[in-house]
């Protein structure tokens, strides 16, 4: 499995004297795509080593992490249980239909209860109900996930000045920061509104992972388009045009916003001439099936 680099050709890049490469993590695996594969890798190993037969995790109804965990369980011989936020809606949306087809057992809980999912009482209840399970947090972010994400930068063979990555929980960015150990300029693009809190989350994850505190990364928090999973016509138009020009499919939650942000920063002259940017395509394309009908996204 490989995540090759693809160079983009664009007039704006030429004008600015900047090179932009896309790290195609979306090509790592057909169903366990992008950063979710990186985040699961060492967790699956740990689960096997500890003698677990069941993975249990959490997510919303369109979660890439739910889909990836279901596919990974099927591929590597684990039973999977997905605790889904909110009520069941039938027919299942494409994400949950896929998870079910991989054998994932879905369990719906109210939004109120979902908020308490990290409390000890809730975890105890889950253990009582499902027995011995290997628990993956929401979005799959833990220290083994950070370890997996350090490997995103291991196979970048070109010399570069900047690396960009979309953010949900910040686990992937933490891995990139730890993996680069103070080298390069690292830009994180939160998909959520008010993503400033992620500074602390990432700093703590890196600190817990290797005890270090790096200063070569920062967050660009303005390209959230109204919030997580909020999709604006501007963004869809950009993604459709990007696909036509570069033949790379993006999705509107994470990678679309990051790439829009990179091009907007380019227009503003943010990147000095001579910059070589690597943009990480973190995958997540499974979610587009749900957006396709609703929003006229070309996939
Ligand atoms: C989950 C996800 C992210 C966010 O990853 P974090 O480690 O939670 O920050 C980014 N891009 C895509 C496509 C994702 O599915």
């Amino acid at each position: 499995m490989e995540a090759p680099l693809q160079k983009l050709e664009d007039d704006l890049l030429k004008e600015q004297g900047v090179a932009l490469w896309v790290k195609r993590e979306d090509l790592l695996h057909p169903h366990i795509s992008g950063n979710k594969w990186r985040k699961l890798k060492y967790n699956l190993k740990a689960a096997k080593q500890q003698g677990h037969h069941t993975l249990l995790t959490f997510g919303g109804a369109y979660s890439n992490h739910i889909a990836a965990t279901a596919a990974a369980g099927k591929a590597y011989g684990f039973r999977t249980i997905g605790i889904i936020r909110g009520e069941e809606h039938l027919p299942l949306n494409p994400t949950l239909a896929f998870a079910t087809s991989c054998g994932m057992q879905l369990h719906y809980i109210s939004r109120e209860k979902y908020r308490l999912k990290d409390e000890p009482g809730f975890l105890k209840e889950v253990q009582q109900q499902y027995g011995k399970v290997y628990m993956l947090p929401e979005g799959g972010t833990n220290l083994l996930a950070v370890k997996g994400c350090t490997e995103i930068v291991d196979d970048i063979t070109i010399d570069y000045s900047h690396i960009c990555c979309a953010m949900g929980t910040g686990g992937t960015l933490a891995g990139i920061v730890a993996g680069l150990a103070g080298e390069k300029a690292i830009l994180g693009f939160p998909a959520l509104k008010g993503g400033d809190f992620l500074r602390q989350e990432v700093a703590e994850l890196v600190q817990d992972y290797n005890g270090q505190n790096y200063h070569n990364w920062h967050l660009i928090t303005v390209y959230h388009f109204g919030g997580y999973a909020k999709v604006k016509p501007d963004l869809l138009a950009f993604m459709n045009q990007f696909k036509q020009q570069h033949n790379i499919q993006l999705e509107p939650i994470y990678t679309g916003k990051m790439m829009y942000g990179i091009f907007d920063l380019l227009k503003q002259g943010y990147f000095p001439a001579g910059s070589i940017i690597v943009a990480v395509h973190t995958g997540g394309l499974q979610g587009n099936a749900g957006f396709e009908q609703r929003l006229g996204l070309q996939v």
Side-chain angles (χ1 to χ4, degrees):
M1 295 193 285
E2 277 179 64
L5 285 161
Q6 178 174 343
K7 189 169 191 207
L8 302 190
E9 301 295 338
D10 187 276
D11 290 343
L12 180 60
L13 292 166
K14 241 181 248 151
E15 270 165 37
Q16 301 271 335
V18 171
L20 175 55
W21 299 75
V22 180
K23 177 89 168 33
R24 302 289 308 269
E25 297 279 305
D26 58 310
L27 301 178
L28 274 177
H29 190 285
H31 297 303
I32 320 171
S33 90
N35 65 338
K36 298 307 184 286
W37 165 244
R38 302 280 188 185
K39 293 170 91 167
L40 282 166
K41 178 179 166 187
Y42 290 105
N43 278 293
L44 297 178
K45 284 192 178 167
K48 273 257 149 76
Q49 271 167 7
Q50 293 165 22
H52 285 282
H53 302 292
T54 306
L55 308 174
L56 181 142
T57 195
F58 308 87
Y62 292 91
S63 164
N64 293 328
H65 169 66
I66 287 287
T69 303
K74 185 180 176 197
Y76 295 96
F78 293 97
R79 236 162 53 88
T80 52
I81 299 166
I83 310 278
I84 308 300
R85 182 185 60 230
E87 285 154 32
E88 181 179 38
H89 293 284
L90 295 174
L92 292 175
N93 73 40
T95 299
L96 296 182
F98 171 76
T100 304
S101 79
C102 294
M104 181 176 262
Q105 185 186 336
L106 302 180
H107 183 100
Y108 297 87
I109 62 173
S110 69
R111 284 164 194 276
E112 293 73 44
K113 195 148 183 214
Y114 192 87
R115 266 184 233 121
L116 305 175
K117 68 184 181 322
D118 299 324
E119 305 281 323
F122 181 82
L123 297 182
K124 220 164 143 192
E125 208 178 295
V126 163
Q127 306 265 12
Q128 272 163 5
Q129 191 167 355
Y130 296 104
K132 186 176 176 244
V133 297
Y134 186 91
M135 193 119 50
L136 291 157
E138 184 181 43
T141 291
N142 58 17
L143 293 185
L144 289 176
V146 172
K147 178 179 161 81
C149 290
T150 65
E151 296 177 356
I152 292 173
V153 296
D154 284 352
D155 57 347
I156 301 179
T157 49
I158 59 165
D159 192 20
Y160 61 104
S161 55
H162 296 74
I163 184 162
C164 300
C165 186
M167 301 172 74
T169 64
T172 306
L173 196 82
I176 291 171
V177 169
L180 286 171
E183 306 259 316
K184 320 291 184 193
I186 304 162
L187 303 182
F189 292 77
L192 311 93
K193 196 171 170 176
D196 292 306
F197 76 97
L198 286 168
R199 280 195 185 95
Q200 176 126 10
E201 300 276 319
V202 171
E204 280 174 13
L205 279 168
V206 173
Q207 178 76 34
D208 290 346
Y209 177 70
N210 68 4
Q212 300 292 315
N213 183 15
Y214 303 108
H215 299 286
N216 60 322
W217 59 278
H218 83 267
L219 306 191
I220 311 267
T221 57
V222 295
Y223 298 107
H224 55 72
F225 287 87
Y228 187 78
K230 295 269 192 332
V231 180
K232 297 276 157 71
D234 261 21
L235 177 59
L236 289 183
F238 170 81
M239 286 168 53
N240 287 335
Q241 183 268 328
F242 186 87
K243 165 130 194 238
Q244 265 186 1
Q245 190 175 346
H246 304 294
N247 199 25
I248 299 176
Q249 181 69 56
L250 302 171
E251 47 69 48
I253 312 253
Y254 296 107
T255 55
K257 292 177 180 175
M258 171 196 67
M259 199 62 82
Y260 184 104
I262 292 171
F263 274 87
D264 200 53
L265 291 175
L266 274 164
K267 277 182 212 150
Q268 297 169 27
Y270 177 94
F271 298 101
S275 295
I276 303 171
I277 308 166
V278 173
V280 180
H281 190 322
T282 37
L285 300 177
Q286 68 83 26
N288 278 355
F291 284 112
E292 197 181 350
Q293 306 128 339
R294 288 184 289 156
L295 298 166
L297 179 69
Q298 290 159 20
V299 292

